[in-house]
Structure formats: structure tokens, C-alpha cells
Amino acid sequence: MTTEEEKTTTPAGSARRAVVGRLSWGLADQAASSMSNFAVGVYVARSLGPTAFGVFSLAWVTYGVVLGASRGLATDPLMVRFSAVPEASWRAAVGRSSGAALGLGAAVGAVCLLVGLALGGSVGPAFSCLGVVLPGLLLQDAWRFAFFAAGAGKKAFVNDLVWGVALVPAMVVADRVGSVAAFVLAWGGSAAVAAGYGSLQSGIRPRVAQARGWLREQRDLGYRYLVENSSLSGAGQLRAYGLGAIAGVGAVGAVRGAELLQGPFLALLMGLSLVTVAEAARVLRQAPHRLGRFCLLLGGGQAAAALLWGAALLLVPDGLGELVLGGVWHSASELIVPATLSVAGAGLGTGAAAGLRALGAARRSLRAQLFASVCYAGGGLGGAVVAGTVGSAWGVAAATVGSSAVWWLHLRAGRREHHVNSIPEVRTS
């Protein structure tokens, strides 16, 4: 190899190794997060049974809605605009974005607390406890976004490990109490421990007082991402509440059990923007022509992995399934095939979604997400009316696979618009 060849190939090889390194830490972080979520779900399902697990799942789904809002307003703009920037700019942005997440958690948490007190019964205490732990849950998630924006995925991984370690004694205590509220407190309280550790890791204090300024500065992206994320999580919440009303709370527990079986990939999808948006933004800056290929490899790889995992789940014997999920296994195992197709379709669409976020095409990603959310809620509830829990699962699978095509159509149009806008204007005298 000549000296000239070395000069041209070495930087490319170094760049590839850097990308692989960041993606590896992202996968490791998601593995840690997946294991924690899976452990919580399994522990609660085995300890409380289908009905109480359904109540816990309603609280979990509600948290997902608030988390989507927090990401849209606070951390998605951070990932798009403050990935791979000078440290001073990153630190200032992280202080304000984490403050926005913490403030949102406190505000919505107060509402959940009051709603829970008003509801009472078996559901009310779970929502009251969710209100107490929401600030810690959202702040912990904000630190993960901040670390990935800086390319420091190792810190996000360590933070999730701290959450997992703190979760162990908390869940043991909750099991002795034996209530849904206790498990919600254990889950969210251990997240608060990790959130506190995140402040030590970053050396940054959340600036709640500057949250309003952050929201104002990022409103062109933030409010569109808010609607986009809230429509996704809101559709899930609508489906869960509607399914509970149509088929009973136990049906919600069955759906959650099927999601737990898809844990390694479903949790990966939920937090994938921690890695992929930042990487797609880097690809766009360094080699815009490679963005489509990057997104295709990302989405196709996830879809293929989800299908392989679903095929493996079909081979699990009932004895092993009951050992993991207890009484929830029988109803959840009937949903393996449609749940697998849902995750595969979502994985394929996530590749296109990462590209749209990197392009800053908030209007296009909003349109795609609204379409997907309407299809998700409509398919889930329509299927429930026709064929109960199984019908709901198949309705969601059809909606998710169909929506992924819409995501890719919008990415193609967004790339074309970006190419046209990046061509410098030619002036003639």
C-alpha cells in the first residue's frame, strides 16, 4: 500500500471503528435497559397474577406517554442539534434539556398523584405512586440521551447498570409488600437513584429555571416531536384502555406479557433513538449520500433479528414459559406471531424514522407518525371488537407493517428535498 493510499483509507477505517464503537455501546446500553424492563415485568407478572399485572401495565403505558412527551420537548432536539458539538455547547444544552425533562416530570407527576387519589380502588394507588416517581424516571432517561449525544455511550450503559443494581433490593421489598403500588415505587425509586448518579457522571445540574427558554428555542422541532411522540404513546395508551374496557384488564396483561416475550427487541426499539439519530446525523454531515443505506441496514437488521427471535419463541415449551411468566404465559403465548410481526414492522420503520430525524424533517416525520398512530389505535381497537385480545394483536401487526412503508416513502421525499436545498444557487450576471 502506498503512502497516498494509507492517507485515504486510514481516516475512513478510523471513522468506521468509531461508529462501530458508539453503536456497540448503544447496543450494550439497550441490553441493560431491556434486561431491567424484562426483569420488572416478569417479577410483577409472577408475583401479582394477570389482573394485577394488567393494572401495573396501565401505569407502565401511561409512563410511556409522558416519556414520549419528555423526549419530544427536551431530548430529541438535543440529539438532533447537539450531537458531536463542542463540549461547552453540549453542557449548556444538557443543563437546560434535563431541566425541561425534570420540570415536566414534576408537573405531570402532580397530576397523576391527584388523579390516583381521586380514582381510588385498585388502579388509583398505582397512578398516585407513578406520579411520585415520574421526575426521577424522566431525568434518568434525559441523561441517557445526553451521553449518547456526546458520543459517550459507555456512561449511559453504566447509568443503566446502576438502575439495575438498585432495582434488585427494591423489587425484593416490593414483593414482600405484595401490591401494585409497591412495585411502581420500587421501579421508579431505583430510577431516581440512577438519575442522581447521572448528575455526578456529567457534572451538570438540571436547570429547571431555564426549561422555558429551552422550549422556546427548540419550538420548531420540539412541538412537532411532542405531537409525534405523544401520538405514538397515546395510541398505545388508547389501545390499552380500550382493550381493557372491551376484553377486561386481564387482556391488557396478556398483551404486556407478549411484549415482554419480545423484550430484547421491543425495548431496543423504544430507546433506539439514543444511538441511531445521533449516528444518522453524523452520516448526514460527513457523507449525505450514505444516509439511505445506513437507514436501510439499520431497519432491515432489526426486522430480521425480530423475526428470528419470534421463531425461537414459538419453540419455547409451556413449562419454561410458565416458569418465566407464571399464569400470564398461556394468554401471552397466543400472541407471539402477531407480536413478532409488529416488532419486525416497527424495526423496519425505525430505520426510516432515524433518517428523518437526522434530516430535521420534523414535518414529514410528524405526518408519518400521525398516520402510524391512527392505524395502530384503529387496528388494535377494531381487532379487539371483532376477535378480542387475539384480534387486537393481529390488527396492530397489520397496522405496523403497513405504516413502515409510509415512513420509507417520507424518507425518500425528505432526502430529495435535502439534496435540492443543499445545491448552491447559481447566479448569472
Side-chain angles (χ1 to χ4, degrees):
M1 180 181 291
T2 65
T3 303
E4 187 64 27
E5 288 175 330
E6 290 177 356
K7 289 181 180 179
T8 57
T9 58
T10 300
S14 299
R16 282 193 294 269
R17 285 193 296 271
V19 171
V20 171
R22 289 190 294 268
L23 288 175
S24 297
W25 279 117
L27 291 174
D29 174 72
Q30 290 306 319
S33 178
S34 299
M35 288 302 296
S36 296
N37 292 334
F38 182 75
V40 169
V42 167
Y43 207 89
V44 176
R46 287 182 56 82
S47 299
L48 300 181
T51 301
F53 183 59
V55 175
F56 181 85
S57 298
L58 290 177
W60 186 287
V61 169
T62 304
Y63 156 71
V65 174
V66 183
L67 180 64
S70 175
R71 288 181 174 180
L73 291 173
T75 49
D76 281 342
L78 178 78
M79 292 291 284
V80 172
R81 288 178 168 159
F82 294 92
S83 294
V85 299
E87 184 178 358
S89 298
W90 173 82
R91 293 181 66 86
V94 168
R96 290 179 291 161
S97 65
S98 61
L102 183 59
L104 179 65
V108 180
V111 174
C112 288
L113 178 61
L114 294 176
V115 170
L117 293 174
L119 286 175
S122 59
V123 177
F127 275 82
S128 294
C129 292
L130 176 64
V132 172
V133 299
L134 263 179
L137 285 165
L138 297 190
L139 181 58
Q140 192 273 340
D141 187 73
W143 291 131
R144 297 171 68 212
F145 270 75
F147 293 141
F148 277 110
K154 182 178 180 179
K155 290 186 177 181
F157 171 71
V158 171
N159 193 273
D160 268 327
L161 282 184
V162 170
W163 187 0
V165 171
L167 193 60
V168 174
M171 295 299 283
V172 172
V173 173
D175 187 41
R176 292 181 179 178
V177 176
S179 68
V180 177
F183 278 105
V184 173
L185 286 176
W187 163 57
S190 54
V193 173
Y197 182 65
S199 295
L200 296 177
Q201 285 179 292
S202 63
I204 300 172
R205 182 166 57 88
R207 306 287 183 179
V208 179
Q210 298 179 16
R212 182 176 297 179
W214 172 262
L215 298 177
R216 184 172 57 252
E217 293 170 10
Q218 309 301 326
R219 63 181 179 273
D220 59 326
L221 293 181
Y223 292 127
R224 286 195 175 99
Y225 289 156
L226 168 64
V227 177
E228 182 180 328
N229 292 351
S230 297
S231 68
L232 173 62
S233 51
Q237 189 177 31
L238 178 61
R239 181 213 181 183
Y241 290 168
L243 182 60
I246 295 169
V249 177
V252 181
V255 170
R256 178 59 187 155
E259 292 174 350
L260 284 175
L261 295 175
Q262 301 288 338
F265 300 101
L266 192 64
L268 185 67
L269 288 175
M270 290 175 64
L272 202 61
S273 59
L274 293 173
V275 183
T276 55
V277 174
E279 289 305 320
R282 289 185 177 93
V283 171
L284 182 64
R285 291 190 184 103
Q286 297 168 6
H289 61 284
R290 295 180 181 174
L291 180 63
R293 181 185 178 189
F294 173 83
C295 295
L296 183 60
L297 290 174
L298 174 67
Q302 290 178 93
L307 291 174
L308 289 174
W309 180 258
L313 287 175
L314 292 174
L315 303 177
V316 174
D318 288 339
L320 180 57
E322 292 173 357
L323 181 64
V324 175
L325 289 181
V328 179
W329 164 255
H330 291 289
S331 56
S333 61
E334 298 178 352
L335 311 179
I336 289 176
V337 173
T340 298
L341 293 176
S342 296
V343 175
L348 186 61
T350 297
L356 283 173
R357 288 287 176 92
L359 289 167
R363 184 173 299 176
R364 288 200 169 274
S365 62
L366 175 59
R367 291 174 184 170
Q369 188 57 70
L370 288 176
F371 177 84
S373 298
V374 170
C375 290
Y376 180 95
L381 295 178
V385 172
V386 173
T389 309
V390 175
S392 178
W394 277 106
V396 166
T400 306
V401 172
S403 299
S404 67
V406 175
W407 277 106
W408 282 98
L409 289 174
H410 275 285
L411 176 61
R412 187 173 74 170
R415 290 179 60 210
R416 185 166 57 245
E417 291 170 356
H418 180 270
H419 176 70
V420 170
N421 294 335
S422 63
I423 297 176
E425 181 181 359
V426 178
R427 296 183 179 274
T428 58
S429 56

